Amino acid sequence: MSSVAPIPSCSPAELPVPMTPSPFSFSVATIRWSSRSPFQAANLFLRLLALVFSFSSALSLAAPSPAKTMIGKSPSFYDDTKLLYCFIVNILTFLYAAYQLFKGICDIAHRGVFISDMVSDYISFIFDQFAGYLLISSSSVSVPVIQQMDHRTSLWKAATVSVCMSFALFLVIATSALLSGYKICKRIIW
Amino acid sequence: MSSVAPIPSCSPAELPVPMTPSPFSFSVATIRWSSRSPFQAANLFLRLLALVFSFSSALSLAAPSPAKTMIGKSPSFYDDTKLLYCFIVNILTFLYAAYQLFKGICDIAHRGVFISDMVSDYISFIFDQFAGYLLISSSSVSVPVIQQMDHRTSLWKAATVSVCMSFALFLVIATSALLSGYKICKRIIW
């Protein structure tokens, strides 16, 4: 019985990993998630915050307006160009935050399918800068409007909530701008 | 005559450079200037531009006011909190630009005497960001004030010139912020 050939040492566990992407690539994504975790997690969290803040800011400005304009009593936000400016900037930031969140989730699920990393880094850097400056501009313009407004109208409450949200959104976007600036610098230097 | 000792090969031109700073150190500064030239020259030029723009913006707002308020006809910029905000931000930016220019010239003349490079980089980064956001905020707030103002007053002209200068100053400071962000990233990564 000693002439039996020994079991080959190359067990399935030691086989070289195939170069073609395997259908069981969830584990690879998990490994990448854990290795790139702190930066990517912070980025995703900031994008989620930006989405929530921009949505609630735009919603609080838009929500009380239609019902009141039907009655014809209370002024609407689109009668005032400054509040309209604030609303448009918030909507644009919401769309941008939604794109960034979608891109971040695509990155974790399967890398590089949606958009290349280099293009994405440049887009993030440029748009974060623009969004930050637009947000601080629109929020600043809205503050004097609120001060001059009648405090009993529902639009006053809506505009106050909206501007507070807008300032919080600005802080989030400014932090994102620092992160994306750091990423673009790393890309240029290395 | 062949027994005459040869002239020693160590001529004054080949003597080792003394480690203590020589009084003829202008050449060293020149060498450093040319090696660090593109970045430092761009930085100094931007600081000079910022100084000019902030000074002219603040001056154009302040210049026509005292003479007119003596007569008591034309409104002054410090009656309006938004124009006053714009004026204060411009003065602060002027002081900051003056400090940066002074620091840049000190750097070229004799390095590290005034303030250490690391502290200076962090100060530049933080204050450039703040100055950029404050400038876009104050300029945006001033635009509706100008729109509502009587176009025949001298304050209207002054405020228009001031806000235009302020926007130009914002562009300069935003570019400086990109440069100082790049410098701080290089310091963190290396």
Side-chain angles (χ1 to χ4, degrees):
Chain A
M1 293 299 285
S2 64
S3 66
V4 172
I7 298 159
S9 65
C10 187
S11 70
E14 287 169 32
L15 278 172
V17 178
M19 294 308 285
T20 51
S22 92
F24 308 105
S25 60
F26 184 73
S27 59
V28 178
T30 316
I31 290 164
R32 197 166 58 240
W33 167 258
S34 61
S35 68
R36 295 172 62 184
S37 180
F39 198 84
Q40 209 170 12
N43 192 31
L44 264 188
F45 178 68
L46 284 173
R47 300 304 179 185
L48 187 67
L49 268 185
L51 195 82
V52 170
F53 281 137
S54 56
F55 180 72
S56 50
S57 176
L59 187 74
S60 67
L61 211 52
S65 296
K68 292 287 175 184
T69 45
M70 288 288 188
I71 306 163
K73 272 183 184 173
S74 182
S76 169
F77 76 92
Y78 45 76
D79 296 333
D80 196 316
T81 48
K82 296 148 211 165
L83 288 182
L84 191 62
Y85 172 43
C86 190
F87 181 74
I88 290 171
V89 168
N90 275 312
I91 289 289
L92 289 178
T93 315
F94 172 74
L95 293 177
Y96 173 61
Y99 151 75
Q100 284 285 359
L101 204 63
F102 179 65
K103 203 256 160 194
I105 292 166
C106 273
D107 245 22
I108 293 166
H110 36 83
R111 183 179 180 167
V113 174
F114 183 51
I115 195 168
S116 85
D117 262 5
M118 198 184 75
V119 176
S120 161
D121 279 1
Y122 278 96
I123 286 176
S124 298
F125 175 67
I126 294 168
F127 279 82
D128 276 345
Q129 295 283 330
F130 267 105
Y133 289 129
L134 278 177
L135 276 168
I136 189 76
S137 163
S138 66
S139 310
S140 306
V141 163
S142 302
V143 170
V145 177
I146 294 172
Q147 286 176 336
Q148 291 163 6
M149 211 181 270
D150 184 7
H151 286 208
R152 288 163 301 179
T153 57
S154 65
L155 185 60
W156 180 78
K157 283 179 201 161
T160 309
V161 171
S162 175
V163 167
C164 289
M165 287 286 173
S166 204
F167 271 113
L169 176 60
F170 159 70
L171 292 179
V172 171
I173 292 281
T175 315
S176 294
L178 293 185
L179 283 184
S180 61
Y182 177 72
K183 267 175 95 173
I184 207 92
C185 273
K186 246 171 64 173
R187 191 171 286 283
I188 290 172
I189 290 168
W190 283 347
Chain B
M1 293 300 284
S2 65
S3 65
V4 172
I7 299 159
S9 65
C10 188
S11 68
E14 288 169 29
L15 280 171
V17 178
M19 292 307 284
T20 51
S22 93
F24 308 106
S25 61
F26 184 73
S27 59
V28 178
T30 317
I31 290 165
R32 198 167 55 240
W33 167 257
S34 60
S35 68
R36 295 171 64 183
S37 181
F39 198 84
Q40 208 170 14
N43 192 31
L44 264 188
F45 179 68
L46 285 173
R47 299 305 178 184
L48 186 67
L49 268 185
L51 195 81
V52 170
F53 280 136
S54 57
F55 181 72
S56 50
S57 175
L59 187 74
S60 66
L61 211 52
S65 296
K68 293 287 176 183
T69 46
M70 287 289 186
I71 306 163
K73 271 183 183 174
S74 181
S76 168
F77 76 92
Y78 45 77
D79 295 333
D80 195 317
T81 48
K82 296 149 211 165
L83 288 181
L84 190 64
Y85 172 43
C86 190
F87 180 75
I88 289 170
V89 168
N90 275 312
I91 289 290
L92 289 178
T93 316
F94 172 75
L95 293 177
Y96 173 62
Y99 151 75
Q100 284 285 359
L101 205 63
F102 180 65
K103 203 256 160 196
I105 292 167
C106 272
D107 246 20
I108 293 166
H110 37 83
R111 184 179 180 168
V113 175
F114 183 50
I115 195 168
S116 84
D117 262 5
M118 197 184 77
V119 176
S120 161
D121 279 0
Y122 278 96
I123 287 176
S124 299
F125 176 67
I126 293 167
F127 279 81
D128 277 343
Q129 295 283 330
F130 268 106
Y133 289 127
L134 278 177
L135 276 168
I136 190 75
S137 163
S138 66
S139 309
S140 306
V141 163
S142 301
V143 169
V145 178
I146 294 173
Q147 286 176 337
Q148 291 164 6
M149 212 181 272
D150 184 6
H151 285 210
R152 289 162 299 178
T153 57
S154 64
L155 186 61
W156 180 78
K157 284 179 200 163
T160 309
V161 171
S162 176
V163 167
C164 289
M165 287 285 172
S166 204
F167 270 114
L169 176 60
F170 160 69
L171 292 179
V172 171
I173 292 283
T175 316
S176 293
L178 293 185
L179 282 184
S180 61
Y182 176 72
K183 268 175 95 174
I184 207 90
C185 273
K186 247 171 63 174
R187 192 171 285 282
I188 290 171
I189 291 169
W190 285 345

